Amino acid sequence: AVLEGRYRVATVAGLGPDLYLADVRQGAMSVFDSGFGVSTRSNDPIQVVIASGAGTVEGVVRESATKAFPGANVVLVPEASRRENLALYFPATSNASGRFVIRGVPPGDYKLFAWESIRPFAYQNAAFLAKHEERGLTVHVGQGGTASAEVTIIPVVEKK
């Protein structure tokens, strides 16, 4: 009873903090990043792969070398080749001390951004990210590891 179209598995409810969505397969190939098609003709079943060893990214958002920034929109964004996969974006907000923690992160390479203020989900837009790409901090998340980072706030630019 699923309509024809293109679909993606973006999340799996109820995963523990050590588990993550590792892959989605259809037939012998991964469709995690590209998605899978459903049609009226015969469809191969999909396989959802869950793995243990999720990572954590923690850190602090800074306005300057000595001043933390509370309430920042912090986002862990997948490497450029995987940005069509919305399951690999992890938003957070820095606390009153400028600190943040992002749990349940699949191992891999990411960029970490912190904006003073952005529109909801703007970070999923390729053109928006391209404008800020050089401001992102490269972060590697290892299997079951914790990556620590200090990221500088990207201020709101007023239009004149």
Side-chain angles (χ1 to χ4, degrees):
V2 177
L3 295 176
E4 281 192 67
R6 195 117 193 106
Y7 294 89
R8 295 175 193 260
V9 176
T11 187
V12 176
L15 292 181
D18 184 50
L19 300 175
Y20 64 95
L21 176 58
D23 201 4
V24 178
R25 303 190 67 76
Q26 187 173 40
M29 70 187 284
S30 176
V31 294
F32 189 29
D33 291 343
S34 62
F36 58 94
V38 172
S39 68
T40 55
R41 59 185 200 286
S42 178
N43 292 296
D44 290 332
I46 63 167
Q47 178 185 20
V48 177
V49 181
I50 306 298
S52 63
T56 300
V57 177
E58 62 184 23
V60 64
V61 178
R62 298 244 178 242
E63 186 172 358
S64 67
T66 59
K67 187 174 180 188
F69 193 94
N73 295 283
V74 180
V75 183
L76 190 65
V77 174
E79 62 185 320
S81 66
R82 301 198 72 194
R83 290 196 179 158
E84 65 188 60
N85 187 340
L86 301 182
L88 297 176
Y89 288 74
F90 297 89
T93 303
S94 61
N95 67 15
S97 303
R99 300 201 64 75
F100 64 90
V101 177
I102 302 170
R103 299 184 200 292
V105 180
D109 294 317
Y110 297 85
K111 273 214 170 168
L112 185 65
F113 296 89
W115 287 278
E116 182 177 353
S117 177
I118 59 171
R119 292 170 64 172
F121 306 106
Y123 54 83
Q124 294 175 347
N125 179 288
F128 176 83
L129 269 183
K131 293 177 189 175
H132 303 281
E133 190 72 36
E134 71 281 351
R135 303 288 303 267
L137 177 68
T138 300
V139 175
H140 177 76
V141 178
Q143 185 83 22
T146 298
S148 296
E150 282 194 13
V151 63
T152 303
I153 193 76
I154 300 170
V156 172
V157 178
E158 300 271 338
K159 291 187 178 184
K160 295 183 178 188

